[in-house]
């Protein structure tokens, strides 16, 4: 069964304290791994798509990497405005538009 | 076009009542998706449309749920005989093609349903 697991469930950081979020996945094939940011009461906001092992993408203080079994979202020198829930999702290789999401990691960055 | 629009933002209903939600996708997007999200969980896929055709439905979509996308534009999601377990955020998303690697899916802000 296709499955996505994120860890940790919650993460508290001091401003400037770098860390990484993990997304482990089991899918029959992979047609893309996606990272989204979600603020309370809002819909997910797209961050990155990764397609193949070894691929990396960056945006401001965020960097996403992909291996054959997992993806990492690295946050460098976070700021309080980076506080949000970060969601990982995969699109299985079957002919589907469905994304399978993990449960998310809730990040809190304290000033 | 400012993005995916969902209406209403909040809905409180009594158990057993029917509710209908509306989603207006980004105008040039031909694919439209419905997801459900409960507190502390990631979104769960419900169904998706390519233009007006409903191409895939999740097992989560019981026969009390029905979705339509007439003329391939806006979409409605109806829940009949609501139950307390239907309380969740209902998210709509749209895309041009399955996925654009630069933009992913664009989600709306959701409709929060509370069944009392």
């Amino acid at each position: 069964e296709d499955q996505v697991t994120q860890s940790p469930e919650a993460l508290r950081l001091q401003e400037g304290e770098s860390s990484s979020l993990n997304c482990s996945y089991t899918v029959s094939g992979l047609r893309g791994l996606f990272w989204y940011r979600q603020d309370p009461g809002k819909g997910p906001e797209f961050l990155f798509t990764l397609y193949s092992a070894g691929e990396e993408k960056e945006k401001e203080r965020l960097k996403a990497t992909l291996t054959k079994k997992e993806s990492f979202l690295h946050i460098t020198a976070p700021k309080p405005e980076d506080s949000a829930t970060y969601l990982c999702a995969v699109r299985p290789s079957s002919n589907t538009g469905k994304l399978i999401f993990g449960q998310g990691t809730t990040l809190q960055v304290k000033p | 076009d400012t993005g995916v629009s969902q209406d209403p933002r909040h809905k409180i209903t009594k158990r057993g009542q029917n509710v209908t939600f509306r989603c207006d996708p980004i105008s040039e997007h031909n694919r439209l998706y419905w997801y459900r999200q409960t507190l502390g969980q990631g979104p769960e896929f419900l169904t998706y449309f390519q233009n007006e055709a409903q191409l895939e439905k999740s097992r989560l979509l019981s026969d009390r749920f029905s979705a339509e996308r007439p003329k391939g534009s806006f979409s409605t999601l109806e829940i009949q005989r609501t139950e307390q377990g239907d309380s969740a955020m209902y998210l709509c998303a749209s895309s041009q093609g399955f996925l654009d690697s630069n933009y992913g899916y664009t989600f709306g802000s959701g409709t929060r349903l509370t069944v009392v």
Side-chain angles (χ1 to χ4, degrees):
Chain A
E1 183 183 349
D2 299 327
Q3 195 169 357
V4 177
T5 303
Q6 293 186 244
S7 62
E9 289 188 7
L11 182 61
R12 282 185 172 183
L13 298 174
Q14 289 295 129
E15 184 172 2
E17 180 186 2
S18 302
S19 188
S20 295
L21 283 54
N22 176 263
C23 171
S24 298
Y25 62 90
T26 306
V27 290
S28 52
L30 184 68
R31 297 291 295 275
L33 184 140
F34 307 88
W35 283 98
Y36 285 84
R37 170 191 171 128
Q38 187 173 29
D39 293 301
K42 295 191 175 181
E45 176 187 347
F46 173 75
L47 294 174
F48 304 109
T49 309
L50 302 166
Y51 288 103
S52 55
E55 190 174 357
E56 299 182 350
K57 288 193 176 174
E58 287 188 66
K59 179 181 179 179
E60 296 180 356
R61 295 177 292 283
L62 300 176
K63 178 180 177 180
T65 61
L66 180 64
T67 72
K68 288 186 177 180
K69 299 277 189 184
E70 56 192 351
S71 177
F72 293 93
L73 184 66
H74 307 277
I75 303 177
T76 302
K79 299 182 177 182
E81 54 262 42
D82 294 322
S83 298
T85 295
Y86 291 86
L87 295 164
C88 170
V90 298
R91 182 181 163 217
S93 64
S94 55
N95 186 24
T96 176
K98 174 173 64 177
L99 294 184
I100 300 169
F101 281 85
Q103 79 277 23
T105 293
T106 299
L107 172 66
Q108 183 180 25
V109 182
K110 293 194 167 184
Chain B
D1 190 23
T2 56
V4 177
S5 177
Q6 292 190 245
D7 184 70
R9 289 295 313 276
H10 304 276
K11 178 71 177 180
I12 300 174
T13 190
K14 291 184 178 179
R15 189 174 53 184
Q17 297 293 304
N18 298 345
V19 294
T20 300
F21 311 140
R22 177 181 170 121
C23 171
D24 288 273
I26 292 173
S27 56
E28 62 266 29
H29 285 182
N30 64 346
R31 288 183 168 86
L32 185 147
Y33 314 83
W34 285 99
Y35 283 78
R36 180 172 69 185
Q37 186 176 25
T38 54
L39 202 61
Q41 300 299 313
E44 294 177 293
F45 171 79
L46 293 177
T47 188
Y48 93 93
F49 292 83
Q50 178 174 316
N51 300 313
E52 66 276 11
Q54 188 173 19
L55 295 186
E56 188 173 357
K57 293 198 295 186
S58 164
R59 289 169 297 180
L60 293 174
L61 213 66
S62 77
D63 53 11
R64 295 186 298 106
F65 288 70
S66 63
E68 294 183 340
R69 192 183 182 198
K71 301 179 182 178
S73 55
F74 71 92
S75 177
T76 58
L77 178 67
E78 181 184 17
I79 308 175
Q80 296 183 327
R81 305 180 304 280
T82 52
E83 303 172 356
Q84 287 190 322
D86 297 331
S87 296
M89 175 80 86
Y90 289 84
L91 293 163
C92 177
S94 67
S95 70
Q96 179 58 31
F98 271 138
L99 285 163
D100 180 323
S101 63
N102 291 323
Y103 301 108
Y105 291 178
T106 302
F107 280 86
S109 292
T111 293
R112 176 154 309 275
L113 172 67
T114 302
V115 181
V116 297

